[in-house]
Structure formats: C-alpha cells, structure tokens
Amino acid sequence: MIVAAYPVWTRLMPVCSLALAGVTMGACSYNGWNDLDFEASSVVSMDIEPHDALRLEGEVGDMRIEASPDARRITVLAEMVGKGETQAEADMRLKELACTRTSADGQLTLAHAHPEGEDAYPYEVNWSLTVPVGTRIEVLNDVGDVALIDVGAPVDVTTDVGDIWISGATDALVRSDVGDIALQATGAVDAASEVGDVRVATTDLKAKHTVTSDVGDVRVHVAEAWQGGIAASTDVGDLRVTHADGKVVRAEDSLIVGPQDEASPTLSARTDVGDVVVVHTDADARWGEAPELDVPGAEKEPVSVGQQPATEPAPEQAASID
C-alpha cells in the first residue's frame, strides 16, 4: 500500500471518515505530498529467536504475518521506502530510516523510526514476517493493510486507515477507524470498524462476542451448535438471522433471538448504516484467501542498508538497522 501523506490522514481522520460516509469534505483531497514522484527502497532481513509475543508497530505501510508449524525462529523482511522530489532526496530519506527491535519479558517489539520524528518526511515501511504457531500478536498501524495468517494465538490489531484480514486466531480484539475487517477465530471476538464492512466467523460456543460498524455491513458466522443469544440492530438497513435448520428470521431495526442473561453466551452485532446478517454454519470459516499485500517477498532480495542487520539485542536494548 503506497500512501504518501500519512500525517495528513492521521490529522484529518474525523473529517475523512465523514467523507467516506458520504459527506464531501475538501480537506480530504489534500495533495501536499502526492507530487513526490521519486522513491528509493531497500529490503532488510532479520532472523530472531522465538518469543511468546510479538508487537509490530507501523506508521505507513502494509504488514503480513504468517504463523507456520515449521517455523522455529521469527524471520523478518522489512522494505523501507524513502520518497522525495528528486532521486537524491529519496535516497537521503531512505538512509535516514531505521528499523528497531526490543526484547523484554518474552515479547519482541519491532518498529521503525526516523531521526527527525514521525512527521518529518514521507516514507513507508512494509513488513513480512513468519512466526511459530502460537505466538501472541499485537499490531498497531497508522496507515496500511494488515494480514495475519493461521495465527493459532490471541491477536490484538488496531489500524487508523487500512483493511484487516485474519485467520486462525483464538481470542481477537480488532479495531479499524477506516477499513474492512475479515476475521476467523476460535475464541471470543471483539471487532469494530467506524467506516467499513466487518465479517467475522467464530466457532466458540461459550464466549460473548461483539461485532460492530458505524457505517458498513456486518456479517457473522457462528457454529451450527451455537445456542447463545443474538442481539442485532441497525438504524438504516436490514437484519437477518439464519438458523442451522434453515429457518430465517428477519427484522428492520432490532432483532433479539435467544437468551440475553449475563451467564449465557451472546452475540451483539450492530451497525448504524448497513445490513446485519448472522448465519449458523459449520462451513469453512476463512474469508477466502489472504490478500496480496505490498510487502517484501521472494521477488525482493534482502540487502542491508548502511550496515549489516544487528544481532539480537540484550533485553530492553534496541537494535537499529540504518
């Protein structure tokens, strides 16, 4: 995902959200950095011992994390991109970028930094990681799409602008200000987008799930054996619940099905503008295949930028690749 003006997106988030909801706002057409036609990029690789948890922090760029049963270590490819009005300027900004990693209390934190601060220059960093199955994952991203594949662990994902696709999570907490969410989990789910469609599938029979969008459709797949209560609502749109026996219940504003007491498993599915659909099904819960993101892969050979990648730092110490 190539975005040249992430500080503007961040500062104008409330305004741009309105624009995406159908309100035309001139500020969202800001082209302050769109004239930067030159780019310089390089891919850095890291090979890191396994950790119980991974935290990936980004400002601009796509993120892809895949859990593999064959993985014994954490492998990282980070494509750093500098932008400028000239090629020399883009080259300079690339050299000023750095990737950092810290390790403490069983958690690995990966991030990137610019010596002049996050608002200094236009740039992006695209990440591609492979981790052992069962690694807990937390992602914070300002602008960019996120894909987590066959995780086998709890996830906590937050983006300001960008789509989120997740498969194989256990418990999941997912937030996007502007972007679609597609999530498959085996545990408790709490997923919300302010502007975007939200699709969730969970096989958990005992948890309390919450799935919401301010502007966008909401679709939830629960197991055929789900006996919990369902509370669905929309201000503008239709509601539909399809039971395992094929029975369909429809409504317009609100729909209550099954127990709603504190002790029972429940699903709350809500949107202000859009349809809400709940389906009892044991069909394949993945929402298609993982999306193709603009992340480094086999076609982009890893090279060092300025220095060889740093060795694993001591706990609480950051390693810089610059």
Side-chain angles (χ1 to χ4, degrees), residues 1-2 61-66 79 126-128 144-149 163-166 199 286-300:
M1 180 176 186
I2 307 295
D62 289 346
M63 300 176 173
R64 184 183 192 274
I65 304 174
E66 181 171 5
E79 180 193 31
N126 300 303
W127 299 85
S128 180
D145 296 334
V146 175
L148 309 183
I149 303 168
D163 296 336
I164 300 170
W165 190 97
I166 301 171
R199 297 175 294 165
R286 285 170 61 110
W287 298 101
E289 296 300 319
E292 295 292 332
L293 302 184
D294 186 20
V295 297
E299 76 284 358
K300 299 176 181 178

Side-chain angles (χ1 to χ4, degrees), residues 106-177:
Q107 175 175 286
L108 171 68
T109 299
L110 298 173
H112 61 269
H114 192 283
E116 300 299 329
E118 64 181 36
D119 292 329
Y121 296 113
Y123 62 88
E124 68 182 74
V125 178
N126 300 303
W127 299 85
S128 180
L129 286 76
T130 301
V131 302
V133 172
T135 304
R136 299 191 308 274
I137 296 176
E138 180 181 6
V139 171
L140 299 173
N141 201 21
D142 289 346
V143 178
D145 296 334
V146 175
L148 309 183
I149 303 168
D150 299 337
V151 180
V155 301
D156 183 343
V157 180
T158 300
T159 67
D160 289 341
V161 179
D163 296 336
I164 300 170
W165 190 97
I166 301 171
S167 69
T170 54
D171 295 340
L173 176 62
V174 183
R175 294 287 186 271
S176 179
D177 289 343

Side-chain angles (χ1 to χ4, degrees), residues 162-283:
D163 296 336
I164 300 170
W165 190 97
I166 301 171
S167 69
T170 54
D171 295 340
L173 176 62
V174 183
R175 294 287 186 271
S176 179
D177 289 343
V178 179
D180 297 335
I181 296 172
L183 165 64
Q184 181 253 328
T186 60
V189 169
D190 186 346
S193 177
E194 293 185 12
V195 180
D197 297 335
V198 182
R199 297 175 294 165
V200 167
T202 178
T203 57
D204 190 290
L205 300 177
K206 299 180 180 180
K208 293 184 179 294
H209 309 293
T210 302
V211 184
T212 63
S213 177
D214 291 346
V215 179
D217 295 334
V218 169
R219 185 179 183 93
V220 183
H221 290 183
V222 295
E224 290 186 5
W226 168 266
Q227 298 295 321
I230 298 172
S233 62
T234 181
D235 292 339
V236 180
D238 297 323
L239 307 173
R240 185 175 81 247
V241 174
T242 301
H243 294 276
D245 60 5
K247 179 183 177 181
V248 178
V249 181
R250 301 177 184 272
E252 292 185 355
D253 298 326
S254 63
L255 178 60
I256 304 295
V257 178
Q260 302 293 319
D261 58 279
E262 188 65 28
S264 299
T266 56
L267 165 65
S268 175
R270 157 100 191 148
T271 182
D272 292 341
V273 180
D275 298 335
V276 177
V277 176
V278 180
V279 180
H280 291 71
T281 177
D282 287 338

